[in-house]
Amino acid sequence: MTEFLQALVIDRWAYVFTILLLSVGLYGLVMKKNLIKKLIGMNIFQTAVILFFIQQAYKHGGTVPIYDTTVGARPELYVNPLPHGLMLTAIVVSVATTGVALALLVLIHRRYETLNEDELLQKLRES
Amino acid sequence: MGLLLVAGPGLPAFGDPESAAAGHVSAHFVENAYLDSHTPNIVTVIIADYRGFDTLGEVVVVFVAGLACLFLLRRSNPQQTGHLLRRTDSIIVDLATRVMTPIIQVFALYVIFHGHYSPGGGFQGGALFAGSILLQRVSQGHENSQHTFSRHLDTPFAIAGVLIFAGLGVVTLLAGGNYLQYDQLPLGLRMDMLRNLGILVAEVGVAFAVVGTLVSIFDDLSCTGRGIPRD
């Protein structure tokens, strides 16, 4: 048990916060009834995934991944640039998906005049 | 959450320079980015050069998302709902946004064109530029901000961005290289400088697409439908 805690909390403390954030997002996504809150939960979930990748990129003693002639091209002295590039594009995609989701929510609200899941299902059954 | 915590110790230790993710391609990128393309910012090189095709797909995804919003929501006559985006009554907000907008726009252009040497690039600069336009939309009202950036301009902007990026690939294809292989550009420069230039053109394309799409999504969301009436 102490080994487990040492491995998790001492060596991997940053991941614990990511897992917390991921759980918050998942909770919002699954448990909330309001569709806007579900969307916010999805955004928190995405942020947790992005943070997870950025944490993977971190290296002790690494500097920003911008080539510096005084440091030279030594991979162990720069943080891993690949996850940064991937997450840059992931952020843009998350903005785009949020935009489309909001557009759909606007349409749902215009048609059914509610964003509550239960009321929505009720109205869907009635019609 | 318990499952995730139990799986936690299986991950590489935080900040471990020997972790699996830090080897292989990542090390190759760090070692070769400056030699290949004369660009210090390794992230920019990865995005626009090594993974250029991926980024092109990314830009198309953003563009398609903008189109989806457009087809779902846009009405030809958005004037009826002007009450959602009226001009602000506060003189402080009005003046502050007037002063801030040009500064944000200059900084956005700096971020786009200095992306080779400092953190930045098309995505970030484009988002900043779009932010300045949205600031105008929110503070000056939808109608008054039309001469800053017309709502008829945004989709053409996005199309232009995608075409710049894709056209760059076609040019390299015609010049005898692979798609988006910038060192084949027919300009008679050194190979690393050609790749440097190719990255710049790609970033400008990305910026155009991001500006157009973000403004388009905002306009579609804010100016259509009946919306929520004030009080």
Side-chain angles (χ1 to χ4, degrees):
Chain A
M1 190 63 197
T2 45
E3 271 174 39
F4 173 82
L5 275 181
Q6 205 239 340
L8 189 68
V9 178
I10 310 291
D11 295 337
R12 294 167 182 78
W13 54 270
Y15 297 132
V16 177
F17 294 105
T18 312
I19 292 170
L20 274 175
L21 205 57
L22 206 73
S23 311
V24 171
L26 201 61
Y27 171 80
L29 205 54
V30 176
M31 300 300 282
K32 288 290 171 190
K33 291 292 176 197
N34 189 314
L35 292 179
I36 291 277
K37 288 180 182 169
K38 271 184 194 289
L39 183 63
I40 294 171
M42 191 182 83
N43 268 322
I44 295 173
F45 195 90
Q46 280 171 336
T47 313
V49 174
I50 288 166
L51 265 178
F52 175 68
F53 271 78
I54 296 301
Q55 285 161 0
Q56 292 279 3
Y58 180 75
K59 285 176 198 163
H60 288 305
T63 177
V64 283
I66 294 175
Y67 180 78
D68 188 344
T69 40
T70 56
V71 178
R74 290 166 59 196
E76 70 275 15
L77 292 182
Y78 297 99
V79 296
N80 190 349
L82 190 55
H84 288 100
L86 293 176
M87 286 311 107
L88 186 54
T89 48
I91 291 168
V92 177
V93 170
S94 91
V95 169
T97 51
T98 309
V100 176
L102 283 173
L104 288 172
L105 291 185
V106 168
L107 283 182
I108 290 172
H109 189 266
R110 198 183 288 165
R111 175 144 181 204
Y112 295 104
E113 313 220 305
T114 178
L115 284 176
N116 185 297
E117 208 181 29
D118 293 338
E119 289 175 30
L120 205 62
L121 286 172
Q122 187 91 36
K123 289 194 176 177
L124 276 174
R125 259 185 236 112
E126 282 165 12
S127 61
Chain B
M1 182 178 170
L3 267 178
L4 290 170
L5 282 174
V6 170
L11 292 165
F14 182 60
D16 177 15
E18 300 295 314
S19 73
H24 310 294
V25 261
S26 166
H28 174 85
F29 288 157
V30 174
E31 279 158 2
N32 292 302
Y34 190 72
L35 295 174
D36 280 350
S37 60
H38 208 263
T39 303
N41 189 343
I42 302 164
V43 176
T44 303
V45 183
I46 290 176
I47 283 189
D49 192 321
Y50 294 126
R51 297 181 62 87
F53 206 70
D54 180 51
T55 308
L56 179 62
E58 208 80 38
V59 171
V60 173
V61 166
V62 171
F63 174 63
V64 169
L67 278 189
C69 283
L70 191 149
F71 287 132
L72 283 173
L73 288 175
R74 187 163 286 192
R75 297 281 179 278
S76 51
N77 185 19
Q79 270 83 4
Q80 329 154 346
T81 54
H83 62 268
L84 259 184
L85 281 177
R86 280 189 313 202
R87 185 169 182 175
T88 172
D89 298 328
S90 159
I91 193 164
I92 298 171
V93 174
D94 186 46
L95 265 177
T97 51
R98 274 162 196 257
V99 172
M100 275 159 66
T101 304
I103 298 173
I104 295 175
Q105 288 179 346
V106 170
F107 182 65
L109 291 177
Y110 166 79
V111 168
I112 295 172
F113 289 105
H114 208 258
H116 286 53
Y117 303 100
S118 62
F123 286 112
Q124 300 94 319
L128 268 172
F129 204 92
S132 77
I133 295 163
L134 301 193
L135 192 64
Q136 286 280 307
R137 286 272 199 277
V138 172
S139 63
Q140 303 297 324
H142 185 74
E143 283 313 307
N144 291 318
S145 67
Q146 288 302 315
H147 56 264
T148 314
F149 193 90
S150 165
R151 68 169 177 275
H152 302 300
L153 257 176
D154 45 23
T155 317
F157 249 62
I159 295 172
V162 175
L163 284 185
I164 288 172
F165 205 156
L168 182 68
V170 173
V171 169
T172 58
L173 209 58
L174 290 177
N178 290 325
Y179 197 71
L180 293 174
Q181 191 188 356
Y182 304 137
D183 52 17
Q184 297 294 324
L185 285 173
L187 288 171
L189 291 169
R190 276 205 341 263
M191 266 197 173
D192 55 346
M193 293 312 286
L194 278 174
R195 286 178 89 156
N196 191 317
L197 204 68
I199 291 172
L200 184 65
V201 176
E203 294 278 19
V204 170
V206 169
F208 266 91
V210 170
V211 171
T213 309
L214 288 185
V215 175
S216 152
I217 290 179
F218 179 82
D219 280 353
D220 293 343
L221 284 174
S222 61
C223 302
T224 53
R226 291 186 295 279
I228 306 141
R230 285 202 161 189
D231 19 78

